[in-house]
Every structure is written in structure tokens, then in C-alpha cells.
Amino acid sequence: MGFLDAILGRSKPVRPDLDQLFALPSAAVTLQAAAGFVPTGWGSVCFASVEGGAFSRIQEEARALLDGPVEFSQDAYGYTWLLVRHAPEDVAGLVNDLHAVNTSLEEAGFGPQLLCSLIGFRDARERPLALVYLYKRGTFYPFAPQPDGGEKRDNPIELQVRAMLGDDLTIENDLARWFPVWGAPGF
């Protein structure tokens, strides 16, 4: 950061530390033991849309890179989601696949387009929960939509999960950055 950047209050964005994803299996164990949330086996990567031949190449590379089924979709905001599925008990395998996809996108020059990754969970009452990794911040946050299907969040669950996982993950301190990911594939 230069002198002018410091005076004007600009800062360099945090470079994504994709290795932080490897903390998710430990966090999954903590979530299951402390709150009864178990992994669904679904995870996804969200990135800004890439057009033309580059997108086709990304799809082909992802399918060749991963063992399990891979699905691509676009949300209402035009973001692309890559969905990966594993057996629910194979969180480590799911994380490895998500890490591989993210690394591949970053190495292909699409790092600035990476937005987030998430892994889905459910409890015995079928309440959904996602642990979301923000690339631009290098942090995680919980996202718990209300199970009734509306666009309402279960804030008490999110805050409880934040407290539970403080030793396992780098949790985003700024609650304003806990963006809702309504309709995201993967949970």
C-alpha cells in the first residue's frame, strides 16, 4: 500500500487464502457435536459470470477435475454457481473438490471473479445452514434461512454458530458482510 492510498483510506483487498477451506471438516465436527447440524454433502462455488469459450473451458476442466457430479447454474443476479455433491460424511472430499475448483479458477486468471463458496448442513428438524467463505475478505460466516421457504433469516442460529466456530474458522466480524445467498445451490 502506498502513501497516497493510506491518506485516501484505500486498502488492498485481501488475497483469498483458499487453504482456509481445509478448516471446514473440523468445523463440521464442531457443528454436529454442539448443535446437531450434519453436512448435506453439497457444496458450491459462486463466481461472476464468464462468457464464451472461457466458460466452456471452465466447465470442461471442472468435470475432468472432479470425481462426482458437477452442475452449473445461474442465479437471478447473473452469477454462476458450480454445485458439487459427495456423500454427507465425506466433508474432506467435498472440501478438496471445492478447493481444486477454486484453485483452478484462480490459476486461470478468474480469481477476481470468485465471490464465495459454501457447504450445506441440516439439523434433525431439517433447518438449513450454510457455512459461506468470502474470497474478498478471507472469512467465513453462517447463513441460516428460515425453513418456511421465505426470504427470512434465522439470526439466533447464525449468532450461535458464530460463537461455536470461533476456534475453527476465521469468522467475518462485520455482520453487514453476512450477505444472504437466497436460493444458492448447495444447501
Side-chain angles (χ1 to χ4, degrees):
M1 184 164 76
F3 176 72
L4 190 56
D5 290 332
I7 289 175
L8 297 175
R10 289 184 247 164
S11 62
K12 290 185 179 181
V14 174
R15 180 175 161 86
D17 180 6
L18 298 177
D19 289 345
Q20 286 194 41
L21 292 172
F22 292 121
L24 284 168
S26 173
V29 171
T30 301
L31 267 180
Q32 188 168 359
F37 280 96
V38 296
T40 61
W42 296 26
S44 55
V45 175
C46 181
F47 52 97
S49 294
V50 179
E51 300 296 327
F55 184 66
S56 297
R57 191 174 66 248
I58 289 170
Q59 287 181 313
E60 290 172 21
E61 287 178 13
R63 287 192 173 97
L65 187 62
L66 308 177
D67 295 332
V70 177
E71 297 173 23
F72 286 87
S73 62
Q74 280 199 314
D75 64 18
Y77 302 102
Y79 294 111
T80 300
W81 289 87
L82 175 142
L83 176 66
V84 180
R85 295 181 186 159
H86 275 257
E89 62 276 359
D90 188 16
V91 176
L94 179 61
V95 167
N96 284 338
D97 280 357
L98 293 175
H99 186 274
V101 167
N102 289 314
T103 301
S104 177
L105 286 167
E106 192 174 48
E107 289 174 353
F110 298 111
Q113 280 91 353
L114 291 171
L115 300 174
C116 67
S117 278
L118 63 86
I119 291 186
F121 295 84
R122 294 226 182 254
D123 69 1
R125 295 179 5 208
E126 292 297 312
R127 291 183 300 180
L129 172 74
L131 293 179
V132 182
Y133 178 69
L134 292 172
Y135 295 105
K136 307 281 190 257
R137 304 282 295 174
T139 57
F140 291 89
Y141 68 91
F143 174 66
Q146 299 252 343
D148 64 11
E151 287 191 353
K152 294 181 182 177
R153 295 171 81 160
D154 192 338
N155 297 115
I157 290 292
E158 291 179 352
L159 295 174
Q160 289 172 1
V161 169
R162 173 181 73 173
M164 286 178 224
L165 298 180
D167 291 336
D168 293 303
L169 301 174
T170 304
I171 301 294
E172 175 58 51
N173 289 325
D174 184 356
L175 298 182
R177 296 200 182 265
W178 290 21
F179 304 111
V181 285
W182 305 118
F187 77 104

